Structure formats: C-alpha cells, structure tokens
Amino acid sequence: MAILILKRIGTMALMMLVVSLIVFLLLEIDKESVAVKVLGVFTTEEQRRLWLEANGYFEPLYLRYFSWLAGFVTGDLGESTVFRVPVSEILWPRLANTAILGVLAMLVLIPLSLLLGVFAGMREGSLQDRAISVVSIITTSVPEFASGIFLVAVFVVGLHLLPGTSTMIEGFDLTQLVLPVAVLVIYDFGYVTRMTRASMAEVMMTPYIRTAVLKGLPFRRVIVRHALRNALIAPFTVIMLQINWLLSGVIVVELLFAYKGFGTLLLEAALNGDIFVIEACTMVAVFVAVATQTIADLGYTLLNPRIRFT
Amino acid sequence: MSDTPWWKHTHPAVPELAEQLRDGKIKRRDFLRTATLLGVSATAAYTLAGRLTGETAIPRAVAQGSPKKGGNLRVSMFVKPVDDPAISEWSETGNLARQVVEPLAQVGTDFVTRPYLMESWQASEDLKTWTLKLRQGVKWSNGDDFGAEDVAFNFERWLDPATGSSNQSRFAGMTHVVTKKDAEGKDVESRVANEGAVEIVDAHTVRLHLANAELAVPESLGDYPALIVHRHFSDEGGDLSKSRVGTGPFELTDYAVGERAVMRRREGQHWTGDVYLDQITYIDTGGDKSAEIAAFASGQIDINDRTGVEQIPAMQQIPGLIVHDTPTAQTGVARFKVTEAPFDNKKLRQAFQAAIDHARILDLAYQNNGIPGEDHHVSPAHPDYAELPPLKQDIELSKKLLAEAGYPDGIEFDFVCVNSPQWEPNTCQAIVEMVRAAGFRLNLKVTPGETYWPRWDDWPYSFTSWTHRALGTQVPNLAYRSGGVWNESSYSNPEYDALLDQAGGTIDVNERIKIMAKLEKILQDDAVITQPFWRSVFVTTTEKVKGFAVQPSLEHHYNKVWLDT
C-alpha cells in the first residue's frame, strides 16, 4: 500500500511539473505581453524594457522557467497586478473561503444525495424512484445562475427572509451562506443521486442480494449490511470529482452572491490579466484535481477488494 | 468708497462676461461656469447672475430636512488599490482616496467648479499665471498644518516624468519636452517641469506659471488624480493605503482590495463644518450587477457607485429605492482610423454618417436616457457648445455616397468593441443593424477589455467610451488634434488644430462659441466619428440617504450626506 501511495504521489508530482511547464509557456513565453500586463497598457516601451531587465526576463527561457518554478515551490508566487500585494496574501484566504462554502455544500449534498439515491435504487421503477429521478433531472438541468436568481427573487426580494449577498462585511454570518449553499446543492445533488441510484439498482440485481432476500433476512438488513457498501463505491468516486468541480463550479455562485472566494479571484484575475494570480490559481486548481483523483483511486482500492493497483 | 462694482476687481474678462449676460448674449449657465473658472466664487457668481437676469439662483438643492448625525453609509463599489492618487486610473480609486485626501478645487453637482482646499484662485489676463490662495487652518490628520509646501510638493511629483501621473498632461503648459537617449541609443522624448513653474509666494499662496494660456486649470485641479497628499508622502512610501495621512473628514481603518474599505470619521471638527456620517463602508459586490440589486433588496447597502441603464427597471421595482440621474458629457464614439483604407475615403465615411439615426440609437441602446450626439464631440452641456443643424438619417443618400466611394454593392468590415459595460455592445449592435440597410455589412467583434484596451487606439474601426469633461475643447485637444496623445482616429487637420488653439485662448464665451461652431462643423463634415448620444448617469440610493445628488463625474461628495434612520 505504501508503494502504491508513493507511486501515486510521484505521478502527481510529474503531472504537476508538466502542467507547470504548459502554464509557464502559455503565459510567459511572450515577455512583452507580461510587461504590458504588469505595468499597464499606457506604459512606454522604455519602462517595459527596464522592468523586464530588472526581473530577469532577458535570461534564456529554460533558466526563467526554473527560476519561476523555484519561486512557486518556495511560496514566492509573485505580486498581483490588480491587488498590488503578494499573491499568497490573497490566494490562501480566498481558498479558505471557498473551502468553507464547499464543505457546507458537501455536508448537505452527500447525505441528501446518498439517501435519495439509495431510496430510489433499492426499489427500481417504484413511485419513489420515479419521483426522485424526475426531480434530480430537473434540478441538474437548471443552471446555477438561473436557480440563484430564482431563489433570490423568492427569499430575498419576495419574502425578505435571507440576505441577498454574502460579502461577510460584518464578519462571518452563516445566514449569508444559505443561498449559495442551496444553489450548489440544488445543482449538484441530482447528479450524485442518480449515480447512487444506478449503482444501488445494479447491486440490488446481483445474485447475492437475491440470495439474502430469499434467505428471509429483513429488507432493512439486506440494504444496510449487504447492498450499501458495494453500492457506495461508484458514488465515492463521483463525490471526489465533485470537490474538483466545486473549485471551478463555484465561480458563478460566488459572483452571483458577491462571495469572495477562489472562484471570483480566478475570474477577476482572468478578466484583468493578473498574470501571477492566474498562474497560482491554475496550479492550485490542477493540484486539487490531481489530488482528489489520487484520493479517489486509493479510496476505490480500499472499498473494492476486486481492484488492486500494482 | 468707489462706485465700481466689486466684481470688476476680478479677472478683466469678468465684467465683460457680466455685461454679455445682462444683455442676453450668453446663457446664465455659461456665465457661471466661465466666471468661476476665472476666479469668481460660486456664491458670488450665482448672486451676480441672479441680480443681472432676475432668475432665482439656486444650485441643485440637496437639503432634505434636518440632518442627523451618525450612521454607517454602505456603498457598493469596486474596491481597487488605493496607493498613489497621482497615478490613479480609475474613478473608483479616486472616490476611495477623496474621503482621506482632498483636492484644491471641486466640480459640484451643478457643474460649477469651486475652490476646495483653496480659498480662491486668480488668473492673469493672459491666462498664463494662476495664483492659488490656500485655505488657512486646515490640519492634516497627523497634526501638521496644510500649506503651500504641500501644494508645491504635489506639483513637483505630478510634473516629474518618473511619477507617471496623468496630471503631467493636465498641466502640460508647465512642462517642456526633452530628448534623451535610451539604453539602445535611440532618442526618447519626455516632458519635464519648466524652471520656476511652481512658485511659493507665502505659506498659503502658490503661483503657477504656464507657458501657454489655459482656462481649464481649476477643472484640472478638481480631477481625481489631483488629490493633495502630505508633503512627506513620498518619504513615507508613497502609498496612501499604508501612509494614511490626509486632510479629509475620514480615515481609512480597514481595507482589503476586492472586498471592502472602511472609513471612520476623524476626531474633531472638519474644516467644512459638520460631517454627519460616522462611517462609510465601501463593499465590493463584484461584477455581477444582480448581486447589487439583491444587496439593495435585503438592505445590505444604502447607495451604489453607479447604476447601469439596464439595471434601472429592476431598481425601480424594489420599494424604498430612488434612482437619481444627471445629464453629462459622457459618451462613446465609433471612430474610423482615417489613415487606413478603406476609411481614408471621406465619401465612405460620409455615407456611413448618412445611414445613422442618432435619436433612434439613443432609444434602442440607452432607453432614451440622454441626448442625441452630433458627431463632433462637443456637448450641449459644455459652455462653449455651438448648435449646428441636426443630422438626419438618409438611407438613399448613404447608398449614393457609398456607390460614389467605389462600393456600389456595399462593403463589409469588422467593428470592434469592448464587452462591458453593457450599453457599449448594445449601442454597437444597434449601429450594425441600422447601417445594414445602406449596404454596410459590419462584423461586430465584442471583445473582453483585456483584448480591447491594449489596442484601443490601433483598431481600424472601433467604439470607445469617453468620460465627462467640463469644457468643449478638452476632449478635441486629446482626441482629434494632430499627434494628440489619445488621437485614436489619427485625424490630422491643421485648420482644426489652429481653431483649437484659438478657442483655448479665448475667454469671451460668444467668441469661443463662434470658433467652436467652425471646429464642430469640420469634424462633422469629415465624418471621423459616429457619436450616437450623450448619456445621463445614474446612482441608486435607499430613501434613508439624504443630502445626496449625482456629480457628473460620479465623484463621491459625502461630507453633507446623512442617514435618516
């Protein structure tokens, strides 16, 4: 197992390295455009040349890459041209905000979708199955910006029950997260529910479940003791992938509710050409994607004895 | 005691202006704005205008009951970095900074420029020497006295090319061009301050010496990059977010770019008298305007920085909100690069102009919240505006001119615009649809700002927004003078340049209007731009915000704003 974990971490590191090279080449190969992004459009050629010289941009490309990579590894992510502070000063707090939103969404999403998926899948074709499936398809089909505006219209403008934005100006306020979490859950729970339902339905058709039922075991015990573990293998992978989705999928929700998280940071950086923030955000997003995939693989191995990675 | 009226002791041009007003030769508004620029106080100018015309002289009233002290005004606005006001490129940055540091002059909601950190100014007859009498008794937040040294220090910074301040262009008459060699031996031109351009007369008097006549000096002193910082600002790092010394009524106590900026009222009496608010909290609600509407609906904000025309219907649906507006000289122009084919063909440009119905575009793209443009970039809001016969859409004439230009089967070309704010792509789309009937097939390329702005003055045909400027000559100087810094159309016409020089040095409003009529006609006939409309600007507040009126450049003057809680 230790070898497997080491191998996985090694693959992860290699993948990050490749991605870092791509990111560097895409964003920094044209040094003139870097200078324009950092110094602004209205600067003179002379000002740009001086800046490029002072920051080592006339070194060979490979040296520039290694120097850039070393900066990343040691936590020197450069300075934001929009925020005018070191990137690390804004990146980590924003990531923490998104983590809070993501954790809250997951705390609602996982039990809800697993429960509904299991309920639907354990009696395939029943009324409860059809009802849950239809609701899941409808909610997943509605984009976040539409459900968000709908919820705002009802709970903010209509009923005056909840705050309309999540700026947290007066400090952390859980009520400000109700609507963003609701939008994320509404959009995503249908997908996980349907995956769980499909997995559960498949398990319920297997011979060992039929045997258990015919042995006269109580239905509840068949579900809890025999069906559930195997039925949860596929949803586990799906849930891990949702963490990755959350990181970029929150952009719309964060923007809609003015929540200052990783998503809005990435968007602002992209819109303003904040090159060093874009680089840092990309690397963080790739790290999360690769890490969740690795955890999913390892978890899958633990949950499913039939799969072994060598 | 002399029988000579007091106003005859001011600038020599003022008595003549007053006589022109009395005889009905100029409008009251033109008198007010020109007389105040020449150093007459706004109160005196209003009183004099009232006496001469018999009109009740009341500036836009903002008095609404007895002001109450206290409260936190929550403002929705992009919170951008507040470092060095002199190099500010955004009005939002200026609005944050102006609560802490203040300008020498201020353009009011009535478009009239008044002294602010000055008691008064005086212009020489030739408009080349300006004497600024500074306000006495103003204290910096660190206890220092405000005075001439501070002002001289700021001018030196602004005029130093190393600072990179746009004020260098505003006060170009105090500089001259020098040529230096760069590292590669190439000649590089830059501007440096003239010897003795800023003179300290005494502790509270500064004199500016310009090489050429300039009427717009007070207007420039009221622009947001001209906020006055403490004389030790550079020594303390040159960053207002760290060195927070100011003369303003508020101090910056909490600040996170992209999130919030909190301003607390300074202890003690401000020099403007009572300041009612305890606190101003700027909240960045981001780029999605629906977040701002939701914040209003749930009572999380009291006022916004600006309301987009597309937001107005939603704002009007929410009980307790007021949408304030003011007409301005803010606009946008679709301009041809006249040095490039096929746009170097004047007939083609005139054909395009004939296909435009300005009033219709105003209605379609800006819901009629403004006034139609006239393709010469001088606004009826300017005191030196000359009225020309209105332009009329004539599709048949357009087709005929296009055929004469060599395109009997029509022509196809790209039209580039930025994707935000929404009124810009909307306006461009309306233009595209309108000119199709005349044979112009335009491919609208809506691009993000990051793509658009690095090439904004380079696109063959594109749409650019222009902000409000107080005098009619200001934008033409920047945008249509041969070799002008912001001459995006590359238009060059010596006759036009000569008229601009003539207008800049003419104080007599009627004379200037005559010159402006020629200027306007030249640009209109050359069909360099399509200027669909002059747009009004909007700000939304809740009913509890009192003492507020929209300033044409959307500056936040919150000293006398109060909350009726």
Side-chain angles (χ1 to χ4, degrees):
Chain A
M1 190 67 184
I3 293 171
L4 172 68
I5 293 172
L6 282 175
K7 272 186 177 173
R8 278 283 161 194
I9 291 173
T11 313
M12 231 174 91
L14 188 66
M15 210 177 285
M16 295 286 296
L17 205 63
V18 172
V19 171
S20 73
L21 188 62
I22 295 170
V23 168
F24 177 78
L25 289 176
L26 280 175
L27 294 171
E28 299 226 12
I29 197 162
D30 178 6
K31 50 181 180 279
E32 186 60 28
S33 98
V34 176
V36 170
K37 286 188 171 89
V38 171
L39 299 178
V41 178
F42 300 110
T43 46
T44 63
E45 215 169 289
E46 174 69 0
Q47 284 171 311
R48 290 175 206 162
R49 198 189 59 75
L50 287 173
W51 184 87
L52 288 169
E53 204 171 336
N55 288 277
Y57 275 83
F58 291 112
E59 298 286 327
L61 193 65
Y62 72 94
L63 281 182
R64 278 171 53 204
Y65 171 68
F66 286 126
S67 156
W68 176 84
L69 194 64
F72 247 94
V73 173
T74 55
D76 176 11
L77 307 176
E79 187 161 305
S80 162
T81 56
V82 171
F83 296 87
R84 310 258 174 92
V85 291
V87 173
S88 53
E89 273 186 32
I90 36 170
L91 178 65
W92 305 123
R94 291 294 192 99
L95 205 56
N97 286 348
T98 294
I100 292 168
L101 181 60
V103 166
L104 287 172
M106 284 295 175
L107 283 177
V108 180
L109 176 89
I110 294 172
L112 180 73
S113 50
L114 290 184
L115 202 66
L116 290 174
V118 168
F119 267 120
M122 69 188 190
R123 291 187 199 283
E124 196 181 5
S126 64
L127 183 66
Q128 72 192 36
D129 176 24
R130 288 180 189 183
I132 291 169
S133 294
V134 168
V135 171
S136 300
I137 290 169
I138 291 171
T139 55
T140 309
S141 311
V142 180
E144 294 120 305
F145 65 83
S147 56
I149 287 174
F150 176 74
L151 291 182
V152 166
V154 174
F155 293 101
V156 180
V157 181
L159 301 173
H160 303 291
L161 282 178
L162 290 166
T165 57
S166 315
T167 50
M168 306 288 172
I169 289 297
E170 308 287 335
F172 184 76
D173 175 6
L174 196 60
T175 61
Q176 291 189 13
L177 286 179
V178 172
L179 287 179
V181 167
V183 173
L184 287 172
V185 170
I186 286 171
Y187 182 71
D188 207 29
F189 93 92
Y191 180 62
V192 183
T193 298
R194 284 183 58 73
M195 292 300 288
T196 311
R197 178 210 166 268
S199 180
M200 188 70 187
E202 191 186 334
V203 169
M204 292 304 285
M205 298 292 286
T206 55
Y208 76 92
I209 295 293
R210 192 167 64 238
T211 307
V213 171
L214 294 176
K215 264 169 68 180
L217 288 177
F219 190 66
R220 182 191 171 91
R221 197 170 166 194
V222 172
I223 297 294
V224 175
R225 295 286 296 272
H226 298 276
L228 217 49
R229 182 177 166 177
N230 285 329
L232 290 182
I233 294 172
F236 172 75
T237 316
V238 172
I239 288 165
M240 290 312 292
L241 289 175
Q242 298 317 295
I243 295 174
N244 187 28
W245 165 79
L246 265 179
L247 204 60
S248 52
V250 290
I251 291 178
V252 173
V253 173
E254 287 184 358
L255 194 65
L256 196 59
F257 293 100
Y259 185 65
K260 303 301 173 184
F262 181 80
T264 44
L265 179 66
L266 184 56
L267 182 74
E268 283 161 17
L271 289 177
N272 294 297
D274 197 349
I275 190 162
F276 303 122
V277 174
I278 296 173
E279 288 172 355
C281 287
T282 310
M283 293 306 290
V284 166
V286 170
F287 174 77
V288 171
V290 177
T292 50
Q293 196 61 58
T294 305
I295 294 167
D297 286 350
L298 295 173
Y300 208 83
T301 315
L302 286 173
L303 286 170
N304 190 346
R306 285 172 300 181
I307 295 172
R308 284 288 173 263
F309 295 95
T310 53
Chain B
M1 196 175 164
S2 165
D3 288 328
T4 313
W6 60 268
W7 44 270
K8 290 202 172 174
H9 295 299
T10 60
H11 191 280
V14 173
E16 197 179 332
L17 276 172
E19 279 164 23
Q20 287 178 335
L21 175 68
R22 189 191 56 206
D23 298 343
K25 290 179 182 166
I26 59 171
K27 292 178 191 163
R28 178 174 163 273
R29 181 195 62 179
D30 301 335
F31 168 78
L32 287 171
R33 293 174 63 186
T34 312
T36 50
L37 285 177
L38 291 171
V40 178
S41 76
T43 312
Y46 269 108
T47 309
L48 182 56
R51 202 184 297 164
L52 291 171
T53 63
E55 289 178 47
T56 315
I58 303 172
R60 289 176 77 116
V62 291
Q64 296 158 327
S66 302
K68 291 175 187 165
K69 275 199 154 190
N72 173 18
L73 183 75
R74 297 159 304 166
V75 188
S76 169
M77 187 183 78
F78 287 117
V79 176
K80 292 179 181 288
V82 189
D83 38 23
D84 182 354
I87 55 169
S88 246
E89 291 173 345
W90 301 91
S91 60
E92 289 91 340
T93 318
N95 279 331
L96 287 175
R98 76 172 57 251
Q99 312 305 333
V100 180
V101 286
E102 298 172 305
L104 290 171
Q106 195 174 68
V107 181
T109 52
D110 54 356
F111 295 52
V112 170
T113 307
R114 294 171 171 82
Y116 200 70
L117 281 178
M118 289 186 279
E119 281 171 358
S120 64
W121 62 73
Q122 202 171 21
S124 64
E125 192 171 350
D126 61 2
L127 296 177
K128 289 182 181 175
T129 306
W130 290 77
T131 305
L132 316 180
K133 294 290 281 182
L134 306 181
R135 201 170 285 281
Q136 301 199 27
V138 175
K139 291 271 185 192
W140 290 97
S141 53
N142 65 358
D144 290 349
D145 283 322
F146 162 76
E149 264 186 64
D150 295 299
V151 175
F153 164 77
N154 277 272
F155 267 98
E156 279 160 22
R157 285 191 78 233
W158 297 342
L159 302 182
D160 182 351
T163 307
S165 174
S166 55
N167 289 331
Q168 233 209 8
S169 300
R170 287 182 184 83
F171 304 103
M174 298 168 74
T175 62
H176 63 277
V177 176
V178 290
T179 307
K180 286 183 192 168
K181 299 271 182 210
D182 69 2
E184 289 159 11
K186 283 195 289 186
D187 283 347
V188 180
E189 283 190 349
S190 69
R191 285 188 162 271
V192 295
N194 297 337
E195 190 73 32
V198 186
E199 177 195 352
I200 296 180
V201 178
D202 61 41
H204 288 91
T205 310
V206 173
R207 191 165 290 140
L208 311 179
H209 298 279
L210 283 76
N212 52 283
E214 180 56 73
L215 182 61
V217 167
E219 302 274 3
S220 299
L221 288 171
D223 219 339
Y224 61 84
L227 295 166
I228 299 293
V229 294
H230 187 271
R231 55 191 172 272
H232 295 149
F233 181 71
S234 297
D235 300 337
E236 289 168 6
D239 185 341
L240 194 64
S241 67
K242 296 185 178 105
S243 167
R244 302 176 178 180
V245 180
T247 55
F250 294 92
E251 55 189 352
L252 183 64
T253 55
D254 183 20
Y255 162 71
V257 175
E259 295 180 28
R260 68 188 177 280
V262 179
M263 314 276 183
R264 293 287 304 172
R265 180 154 48 82
R266 266 171 64 186
E267 293 298 319
Q269 183 85 344
H270 186 248
W271 64 266
T272 56
D274 281 337
V275 173
Y276 305 118
L277 298 167
D278 282 342
Q279 183 174 311
I280 303 170
T281 305
Y282 283 96
I283 303 169
D284 192 329
T285 52
D288 188 335
K289 289 297 176 188
S290 60
E292 198 172 80
I293 295 168
F296 267 123
S298 56
Q300 290 177 296
I301 53 173
D302 305 304
I303 184 170
N304 63 1
D305 175 50
R306 69 194 68 188
T307 299
V309 71
E310 68 283 356
Q311 281 179 288
I312 295 172
M315 295 293 191
Q316 287 171 337
Q317 291 298 310
I318 299 173
L321 294 188
I322 302 167
V323 180
H324 306 255
D325 71 304
T326 193
T328 71
Q330 298 208 27
T331 187
V333 297
R335 59 93 189 132
F336 297 104
K337 188 63 125 181
V338 296
T339 48
E340 286 182 22
F343 309 123
D344 53 351
N345 186 332
K346 189 171 161 182
K347 278 257 165 72
L348 178 139
R349 301 196 305 262
Q350 288 174 328
F352 196 91
Q353 189 178 56
I356 297 292
D357 179 346
H358 297 73
R360 180 82 179 125
I361 297 176
L362 173 64
D363 186 26
L364 288 169
Y366 212 68
Q367 285 83 63
N368 233 356
N369 290 298
I371 47 176
E374 297 167 33
D375 298 355
H376 53 59
H377 218 144
V378 182
S379 162
H382 290 134
D384 38 10
Y385 164 79
E387 194 174 346
L388 299 183
L391 293 169
K392 283 186 183 156
Q393 185 189 37
D394 187 338
I395 296 294
E396 288 313 310
L397 174 67
S398 176
K399 283 179 180 170
K400 183 172 161 279
L401 286 168
L402 192 58
E404 285 174 19
Y407 302 96
D409 301 323
I411 183 171
E412 183 173 346
F413 53 87
D414 289 347
F415 181 20
V416 188
C417 80
V418 75
N419 62 356
S420 177
Q422 192 58 48
W423 70 269
E424 294 191 36
N426 287 355
T427 304
C428 294
Q429 190 66 53
I431 292 174
V432 169
E433 300 305 328
M434 187 169 281
V435 297
R436 200 188 300 277
F440 289 95
R441 298 181 296 279
L442 269 57
N443 306 312
L444 184 61
K445 308 277 186 194
V446 182
T447 63
E450 199 202 333
T451 309
Y452 182 84
W453 290 111
R455 289 189 57 195
W456 77 282
D457 55 352
D458 196 32
W459 301 108
Y461 184 56
S462 61
F463 188 86
T464 306
S465 60
W466 285 85
T467 194
H468 174 95
R469 282 181 175 82
L471 293 176
T473 48
Q474 282 179 290
V475 171
N477 255 321
L478 289 166
Y480 309 107
R481 182 187 279 281
S482 305
V485 280
W486 288 345
N487 188 339
E488 54 175 341
S489 62
S490 298
Y491 180 65
S492 177
N493 184 336
E495 188 190 352
Y496 187 85
D497 297 347
L499 286 166
L500 264 179
D501 288 337
Q502 211 180 325
T506 306
I507 300 170
D508 184 299
V509 176
N510 282 328
E511 286 305 311
R512 205 162 69 244
I513 287 174
K514 283 180 197 160
I515 302 165
M516 293 305 285
K518 292 181 199 163
L519 270 174
E520 293 171 13
K521 186 75 178 136
I522 289 173
L523 201 68
Q524 196 183 61
D525 286 349
D526 281 346
V528 178
I529 57 170
T530 296
Q531 187 197 2
F533 50 82
W534 299 99
R535 62 194 191 95
S536 298
V537 294
F538 307 89
V539 173
T540 304
T541 69
T542 61
E543 281 173 344
K544 69 177 184 177
V545 177
K546 305 290 183 187
F548 173 79
V550 185
Q551 200 270 357
S553 302
L554 295 169
E555 290 176 4
H556 295 182
H557 300 167
Y558 291 156
N559 282 22
K560 300 299 171 195
V561 168
W562 54 282
L563 293 170
D564 190 14
T565 47

